[in-house]
Amino acid sequence: MDLLPEETPELAKKHGFRSLKLLNVDLEQPLEDKPFGVDYGKLDNGLTYYVRSNSKPKMRAALALVVKAGSVLEEEDERGVAHIVEHLAFNATTKYTNHDIVKFMESIGAEFGACQNAMTSADDTVYELFVPVDKPELLPQAISVLAEFSSEIRVSAEDLEKERGAVMEEYRGSRNANGRMQDSHWALMMAGSKYAERLPIGTEKVIRTVSAATVKHFYKKWYHLQHMALIAVGDFPNSESVVELIRTYFGQKSSADEPPGILRFPVPSHDEPRFSCFIESEAAGSAVMISCKVPAQELKTIKDYRDLLVESMFLLALNQRLFKVSRRRDPPFHSCSAASDNLVNPIKAYILTSSCKENGIIEALEAMLTELARIHLHGFSEREISIVRALLLSGIESAYLERDQIQSTSLRDEYVQHFLCNEPVVGIEFEAQLHKSLLPSISAAEVATYARKFSTTCNCVIKAIEPQSTVTLDDLKNTVAKVTSLEEGESISAWDEEQVPEEIVTIKPNSGSVDQQQEYADINVTELILSNGMRVCYKCTDFLDDQVLISGYSYGGLSELSEPDYVSCSMGSTIAGELGKFGHKPSVLMDMLAGKRAEVGTKLGPYMRTFSADCSPTDLETALQLVYQLFMTNVEPREEEVKKVMEMAEEAVRAQERDPYTAFENRVREINYGNSYFFRPIRISDLKKVDAYKACEYFSNCFKDPSTFTVVVVGNLDLATACPLILQYLGGIPKPPVPILQFSRDDLNGLPFTFPDNIIRREGKQDREIVRKPMVEAQCSVQLCFPVELKNGAMIEEIHFVGFLSKLLETKMIQVLRFKHGQIYSAGVSVFLGGNKPSRTGDVRGDISINFSCDPSMSSTLVELALDEVLHLQNEGPSDEDISTILEIEQRAHENGLQENYHWLERIIRSYQSRVYSGDLGTSFQIQEEARLKVRTSLTPSTSKSALQRILPFPCRKKYTVVVRIQADGSSTPEAQEIDPVHTVLSL
């Protein structure tokens, strides 16, 4: 009998994860079929619905229409039709025509691609919308759109012709090295099953020639409400009203015919392993993969859930080992990881993938198999299991603490999997109790048994991927036989564990003090100047209960280096990271951080060096200790470790030299920025000149003087705990007796480049730059680039104008090149404004680039169309509708950002780094926001036209560059495969 009253939910949350009571577990107890926490049911016509009220983010809803129909249902003459239907949905329905759905969604701030999208896989098709719901008419309109998708997609010959180009460009985009490897591997894994020949992208012949009648037949045959679910998760006053909306828009619909049953297509077993050696000339490097297929086990009981935890522990423990192997003095591979993946319904695979040096396939495969055999023979140590148990408990604790702050999109995804795969949704509270109750009873011996899932006999595929052939099938088979023999003879020794220190910081520093303190009440921010000169600014939020973000920067980076020192010092972060920039080797630090959520990274940029951290409030001390160690560590290069790092760097450079996309990007930089050493790609000859001692010395000095750093902390801070830790570990960093790398931001060097004065275009009679690279299949990428120079004066407003105009250009490029002419899949606009030093008085230089891929034969035409559209916007200005759309997209993104720690962290840092900052953060922050609002208020077709004339060259044809990457003639198609055979998905 309990003597204390039962704990209320509010009290449980206050006490947190550690207050959760353990369950008296019955392993045979079934898990609930009905999903937890959601209004769940079916309409009379068979449509399943899931509705849940969720306030993260505020005034937003995540919607999905899920259809149990994918590419595996296609006949031979329909290959790719499931994906074409998905495209046509956004083109036209009975109610909406001429991409009116896309226009409507963008008009309410739901950007195409980011907030309205769809995915086709072998087994299903999912349409997703992410919409604002702060006006009463928006949610009904969004649900009506999905209702149209369910039964009213218009499939006419005209519609199909308009969309073929976009689908064909997506097909072309999938025919790169990764796509070819994915297709080939999929076929090998699924050999003997219909899945092997039903990749969602389909075939070029079908995409180019399929009739509207065939597409319509597939749509009408398989799109039945009995095979669909409507999911709505968002900031609703109640779920009942949303269910009524679903009844209103879906309830009167009915499928024309009795729906066919959902077909199942078995994947045959094979008793002997399959071996393959794939040669892919454009592959990033050499790799080897072991894939083992098994039937997917449904989660029906608590025992099934426990088995899933055992599997998670095994994969975590194995990955920890593999990481340590990759960090040996002479490692057999650069990286190696294990995972499980649900391939198709109902088959999953256990996958072990490594990347290795050239000619290193056999060594890597032998090492992978040896580690599996070592586990077969000796299992895992108690220490290894205690580490992975702590990792799992840490993860579930974070999820539990933030259970009321989970994103609506995440909940939507859970319900998608419940509908498609019967994955139970039991609620995070129950999952947390299961973790706490089950994990302690899982033994090391039980975890080790999962190594048998990687069987090298039945249903196993072992595959080597290389840019050029060095191994044979017999080499792979002989390696398997060799390790099998060693295991049978018990000739493989037990795992040799490293010594792990107890503490990250062995001698705790004396705390610093606060010399100055300033409160900025308008933005709820406090600024401290510590006794060692470091400026620390913190903001307490309640967006996520288990998140604290830290970011620190100091002026003076790679731009201050001379050309001879640049290559060596730019490698400093890479070399120091492998040697141990926090005072401990990465493999040792990994064990020390087990069960703690604290990650710290560093970056050496052109004008600044920075560090950043993401941690939980309970692990704030650990994160600050790592920052302290970063400042206190002098990284000493050791010959063997440096040799390993440089070998990996050389492999990366060779991979880039093989990659035609990298060749294109390098040529773009060369054209736009000249032969500047800062933008020039690193070559093997450059790596040979790297001085590791100079690199490590430079990196250590970058994080040595605390007085040069500004640090911003945002998140769920308990100040009574956090402030003493900040004073101890940030304030305790000693200030060096002599200043180190102290720079004035106004005196920094700008990046050494000059945008070309003339128009760069060389092709026949025209001037167009063509980058020709031998490629396996036709590919074409285009970058159209305009120089930008913003004059000092109303600079803050001008930068906001650039942001709005770049979104305008991107929206118009998609409208014209995709929706009007149907020739591209997507377009992007990127902005670079880092050409000048971050002076508070100088001009700002950079560029705006328009990027898209297309049919090689259409590149000239599409460049002209893009230039015509930019010139039209400069001469005539955008429409009122265009302005309304980009204002809405920006406002919705801003509203979402206000609920995120990362957004506030960025805004505070940007206010410090703003040219108007002169010691008063609040004033700088206010000027930034006023500039944004001023530009929003003033943005009209007329002011946009003036800004386009002012910011871009006017007329735009006066000065620009065009670089086209195109397939060289005469290439051939080698055999290829996918390195990571995840569930094949295509996105709209």
Side-chain angles (χ1 to χ4, degrees):
M1 179 177 179
D2 288 334
L3 299 178
L4 296 176
E6 185 175 343
E7 196 168 43
T8 64
E10 293 78 12
L11 189 58
K13 181 177 179 182
K14 182 179 179 181
H15 288 172
F17 178 74
R18 291 169 179 80
S19 69
L20 278 175
K21 295 180 180 179
L22 298 180
L23 298 172
N24 185 13
V25 176
D26 175 6
L27 293 180
E28 300 306 317
Q29 177 184 332
L31 298 171
E32 285 287 341
D33 290 332
K34 183 179 179 181
F36 173 83
V38 62
D39 199 335
Y40 168 71
K42 274 191 177 184
L43 302 186
D44 292 340
N45 57 18
L47 177 81
T48 302
Y49 62 82
Y50 302 73
V51 179
R52 175 166 173 169
S53 297
N54 186 67
S55 61
K56 184 73 174 184
K58 296 177 182 177
M59 292 288 102
R60 297 294 182 273
L63 311 178
L65 177 69
V66 187
V67 187
K68 291 181 178 179
S71 59
V72 76
L73 298 176
E74 298 164 349
E75 301 300 332
E76 185 63 27
D77 64 342
E78 297 175 329
R79 293 177 63 179
V81 166
H83 179 230
I84 290 173
V85 169
E86 169 214 306
H87 271 251
L88 291 174
F90 287 89
N91 176 57
T93 65
T94 301
K95 183 177 178 181
Y96 301 94
T97 62
N98 193 28
H99 295 99
D100 285 343
I101 289 173
V102 174
K103 295 173 186 175
F104 159 67
M105 296 299 293
E106 289 185 333
S107 74
I108 63 173
E111 193 174 357
F112 184 68
C115 302
Q116 43 178 321
N117 213 325
M119 293 160 283
T120 301
S121 73
D123 290 317
D124 52 74
T125 304
V126 181
Y127 300 87
E128 295 180 346
L129 301 179
F130 184 71
V131 297
V133 291
D134 54 348
K135 298 176 183 176
E137 70 274 13
L138 297 184
L139 182 60
Q141 287 177 300
I143 291 177
S144 77
V145 167
L146 294 177
E148 291 282 296
F149 289 171
S150 72
S151 58
E152 306 294 336
I153 296 175
R154 195 178 75 187
V155 185
S156 69
E158 181 184 1
D159 296 326
L160 187 55
E161 287 306 312
K162 283 177 62 178
E163 203 63 27
R164 282 191 207 272
V167 179
M168 193 61 223
E169 186 50 41
E170 188 174 358
Y171 173 85
R172 257 190 301 272
S174 73
R175 304 309 300 155
N176 56 19
N178 282 339
R180 288 189 297 272
M181 290 188 289
Q182 180 175 357
D183 291 358
S184 298
H185 182 76
W186 185 261
L188 189 61
M189 289 280 286
M190 299 295 160
S193 166
K194 191 178 179 183
Y195 285 107
E197 297 180 344
R198 290 298 182 270
L199 285 166
I201 193 61
T203 65
E204 182 175 356
K205 179 182 178 182
V206 170
I207 295 171
R208 290 189 183 279
T209 65
V210 69
S211 68
T214 300
V215 177
K216 191 169 187 177
H217 171 76
F218 180 91
Y219 176 58
K220 293 299 183 183
K221 180 179 181 180
W222 294 111
Y223 272 57
H224 285 264
L225 293 166
Q226 292 91 328
H227 299 158
M228 297 184 191
L230 193 284
I231 300 169
V233 183
D235 193 8
F236 313 132
N238 57 74
S239 62
E240 292 81 4
S241 61
V242 182
V243 172
E244 284 305 309
L245 286 175
I246 295 172
R247 293 187 192 280
T248 299
Y249 289 100
F250 282 88
Q252 304 307 313
K253 294 184 177 296
S254 62
S255 301
D257 304 312
E258 185 67 23
I262 297 297
L263 303 178
R264 292 288 179 233
F265 300 92
V267 179
S269 297
H270 48 95
D271 295 332
E272 297 296 324
R274 295 172 181 168
F275 296 89
S276 285
C277 299
F278 276 24
I279 310 305
E280 170 53 70
S281 61
E282 296 169 14
S286 298
V288 62
M289 179 166 57
I290 304 169
S291 302
C292 303
K293 293 175 291 184
V294 297
Q297 179 182 355
E298 287 193 357
L299 284 172
K300 293 292 187 181
T301 66
I302 289 180
K303 181 182 182 303
D304 297 331
Y305 192 92
R306 187 179 187 279
D307 290 343
L308 187 63
L309 289 179
V310 177
E311 176 188 293
S312 299
M313 293 178 73
F314 167 73
L315 293 172
L316 279 170
L318 178 56
N319 279 321
Q320 297 252 328
R321 274 204 186 181
L322 294 171
F323 176 80
K324 292 173 182 177
V325 172
S326 73
R327 292 308 185 265
R328 289 175 177 168
R329 290 192 173 185
D330 189 16
F333 40 69
H334 299 322
S335 65
C336 187
S337 62
S340 67
D341 183 56
N342 292 322
L343 298 178
V344 297
N345 194 1
I347 297 296
K348 72 184 296 182
Y350 291 95
I351 306 159
L352 197 59
T353 308
S354 73
S355 63
C356 57
K357 59 189 175 185
E358 290 188 42
N359 302 315
I361 291 288
I362 298 304
E363 184 183 5
L365 177 59
E366 183 174 337
M368 295 159 72
L369 294 171
T370 298
E371 286 313 313
L372 291 173
R374 196 187 313 278
I375 297 168
H376 296 160
L377 293 172
H378 306 287
F380 292 108
S381 70
E382 290 299 330
R383 178 176 133 190
E384 288 177 296
I385 296 306
S386 67
I387 286 173
V388 299
R389 187 181 289 119
L391 287 170
L392 287 175
L393 284 170
S394 175
I396 196 67
E397 178 178 12
S398 180
Y400 175 78
L401 292 176
E402 294 176 349
R403 62 195 181 280
D404 296 332
Q405 299 159 326
I406 190 169
Q407 292 284 341
S408 292
T409 50
S410 298
L411 290 169
R412 176 186 65 187
D413 293 345
E414 281 192 35
Y415 303 136
V416 169
Q417 292 307 306
H418 180 272
F419 180 69
L420 292 176
C421 306
N422 298 317
E423 287 190 9
V425 178
V426 298
I428 190 61
E429 293 91 343
F430 187 53
E431 282 202 66
Q433 285 183 296
L434 286 175
H435 273 67
K436 285 191 68 174
S437 304
L438 296 172
L439 282 172
S441 69
I442 298 174
S443 67
E446 189 176 359
V447 174
T449 61
Y450 263 74
R452 297 294 175 186
K453 300 288 186 180
F454 284 94
S455 168
T456 54
T457 54
C458 180
N459 290 325
C460 179
V461 173
I462 296 180
K463 188 168 296 184
I465 305 105
E466 297 184 284
Q468 50 189 343
S469 179
T470 67
V471 299
T472 66
L473 295 180
D474 285 341
D475 293 331
L476 300 180
K477 293 176 183 177
N478 292 337
T479 303
V480 173
K482 175 184 176 181
V483 177
T484 300
S485 177
L486 290 172
E487 181 181 346
E488 290 174 348
E490 299 187 0
S491 301
I492 297 172
S493 61
W495 177 255
D496 185 18
E497 291 188 312
E498 295 180 282
Q499 292 297 316
V500 177
E502 293 291 329
E503 299 286 344
I504 295 173
V505 178
T506 53
I507 302 176
K508 302 292 177 67
N510 295 322
S511 296
S513 58
V514 177
D515 283 357
Q516 300 177 41
Q517 180 169 332
Q518 177 69 47
E519 304 289 339
Y520 297 102
D522 290 346
I523 53 177
N524 193 26
V525 163
T526 300
E527 180 186 82
L528 310 175
I529 305 297
L530 304 185
S531 51
N532 59 6
M534 180 179 280
R535 177 186 284 108
V536 177
C537 169
Y538 61 81
K539 178 179 176 64
C540 301
T541 71
D542 58 2
F543 304 134
L544 288 173
D545 286 340
D546 203 41
Q547 185 181 67
V548 176
L549 303 177
I550 305 171
S551 185
Y553 73 90
S554 177
Y555 284 110
L558 298 176
S559 60
E560 303 310 299
L561 298 169
S562 64
E563 183 171 353
D565 292 338
Y566 174 76
V567 172
S568 289
C569 294
S570 65
M571 287 290 296
S573 188
T574 301
I575 296 174
E578 291 297 325
L579 270 59
K581 57 189 174 185
F582 302 112
H584 305 280
K585 291 194 303 182
S587 58
V588 172
L589 188 63
M590 178 178 67
D591 283 356
M592 298 175 71
L593 295 178
K596 299 180 183 295
R597 201 171 72 74
E599 299 180 8
V600 177
T602 59
K603 181 179 178 181
L604 304 183
Y607 306 120
M608 286 177 282
R609 60 260 194 202
T610 63
F611 64 83
S612 58
D614 185 340
C615 65
S616 68
T618 54
D619 293 321
L620 176 62
E621 181 171 12
T622 299
L624 293 175
Q625 285 180 337
L626 292 172
V627 173
Y628 175 79
Q629 286 290 95
L630 175 67
F631 278 79
M632 299 302 294
T633 300
N634 286 311
V635 181
E636 298 290 341
R638 296 177 291 274
E639 185 176 350
E640 287 298 323
E641 283 87 346
V642 170
K643 179 183 176 183
K644 177 188 69 176
V645 175
M646 300 313 297
E647 285 177 352
M648 294 173 63
E650 288 184 18
E651 290 286 339
V653 170
R654 291 192 182 96
Q656 290 178 350
E657 290 173 347
R658 285 189 297 267
D659 181 16
Y661 297 91
T662 302
F664 172 67
E665 293 164 1
N666 290 341
R667 184 57 179 152
V668 168
R669 285 196 292 267
E670 186 178 350
I671 292 292
N672 290 342
Y673 308 133
N675 195 28
S676 166
Y677 70 88
F678 203 89
F679 295 95
R680 193 168 55 226
I682 293 179
R683 304 179 179 92
I684 297 292
S685 57
D686 296 320
L687 293 178
K688 301 294 186 186
K689 302 174 185 176
V690 168
D691 183 334
Y693 289 91
K694 180 179 291 184
C696 290
E697 180 184 28
Y698 176 73
F699 179 85
S700 297
N701 284 337
C702 281
F703 302 97
K704 192 63 66 180
D705 192 340
S707 67
T708 68
F709 275 81
T710 295
V711 180
V712 179
V713 185
V714 175
N716 183 21
L717 294 168
D718 176 2
L719 295 182
T721 303
C723 286
L725 293 175
I726 288 171
L727 290 178
Q728 181 174 22
Y729 293 108
L730 298 184
I733 300 170
K735 183 177 180 180
V738 178
I740 299 176
L741 296 184
Q742 289 196 4
F743 297 93
S744 166
R745 64 177 291 183
D746 296 315
D747 298 329
L748 297 175
N749 295 318
L751 299 185
F753 79 92
T754 304
F755 197 89
D757 291 328
N758 57 319
I759 298 171
I760 302 272
R761 300 179 61 180
R762 297 190 194 92
E763 184 180 50
K765 295 181 181 180
Q766 293 181 335
D767 286 335
R768 176 183 301 248
E769 176 67 23
I770 299 291
V771 177
R772 294 195 178 272
K773 178 81 174 176
M775 295 184 69
V776 175
E777 298 191 42
Q779 299 279 323
C780 179
S781 296
V782 177
Q783 177 160 314
L784 171 61
C785 188
F786 303 98
V788 169
E789 187 166 0
L790 307 179
K791 298 295 184 181
N792 188 34
M795 180 66 71
I796 308 301
E797 289 87 349
E798 287 291 81
I799 290 175
H800 282 288
F801 264 116
V802 169
F804 281 104
L805 296 181
S806 64
K807 182 55 63 180
L808 171 67
L809 290 173
E810 186 172 271
T811 302
K812 298 303 291 184
M813 289 301 117
I814 292 175
Q815 287 178 2
V816 172
L817 301 185
R818 176 168 179 172
F819 297 146
K820 183 176 180 180
H821 294 280
Q823 291 298 325
I824 69 168
Y825 173 61
S826 64
V829 173
S830 55
V831 178
F832 168 63
L833 294 177
N836 281 43
K837 61 185 180 181
S839 165
R840 284 169 287 191
T841 57
D843 298 337
V844 168
R845 279 193 310 155
D847 54 62
I848 294 178
S849 298
I850 298 170
N851 313 277
F852 57 86
S853 61
C854 62
D855 185 325
S857 66
M858 290 296 298
S859 61
S860 297
T861 300
L862 297 183
V863 167
E864 293 304 316
L865 288 173
L867 285 168
D868 286 346
E869 183 61 25
V870 176
L871 187 59
H872 172 77
L873 291 170
Q874 286 185 312
N875 286 325
E876 306 297 329
S879 67
D880 288 327
E881 182 182 3
D882 292 331
I883 296 300
S884 176
T885 293
I886 63 171
L887 284 173
E888 194 71 13
I889 289 173
E890 191 273 346
Q891 178 62 25
R892 298 306 187 179
H894 180 73
E895 289 170 358
N896 285 342
L898 291 176
Q899 304 172 58
E900 302 294 336
N901 288 323
Y902 280 104
H903 175 83
W904 283 98
L905 183 78
E906 180 189 4
R907 289 185 71 187
I908 293 170
I909 291 175
R910 192 166 65 237
S911 296
Y912 273 121
Q913 296 174 355
S914 169
R915 61 179 48 219
V916 300
Y917 176 73
S918 58
D920 188 316
L921 175 67
T923 299
S924 177
F925 194 97
Q926 181 181 359
I927 292 173
Q928 292 276 345
E929 182 59 19
E930 287 175 350
R932 170 185 169 269
L933 294 174
K934 180 178 179 181
V935 172
R936 280 188 59 86
T937 303
S938 67
L939 203 66
T940 64
S942 176
T943 58
S944 298
K945 179 178 75 172
S946 298
L948 284 163
Q949 293 179 4
R950 183 173 68 249
I951 291 171
L952 297 182
F954 179 65
C956 65
R957 290 179 177 273
K958 180 176 71 174
K959 190 175 183 181
Y960 63 91
T961 65
V962 174
V963 186
V964 179
R965 178 190 56 78
I966 198 168
Q967 173 200 15
D969 296 329
S971 59
S972 59
T973 304
E975 191 178 13
Q977 77 162 59
E978 164 62 36
I979 294 180
D980 183 17
V982 295
H983 188 52
T984 309
V985 170
L986 297 173
S987 298
L988 175 64

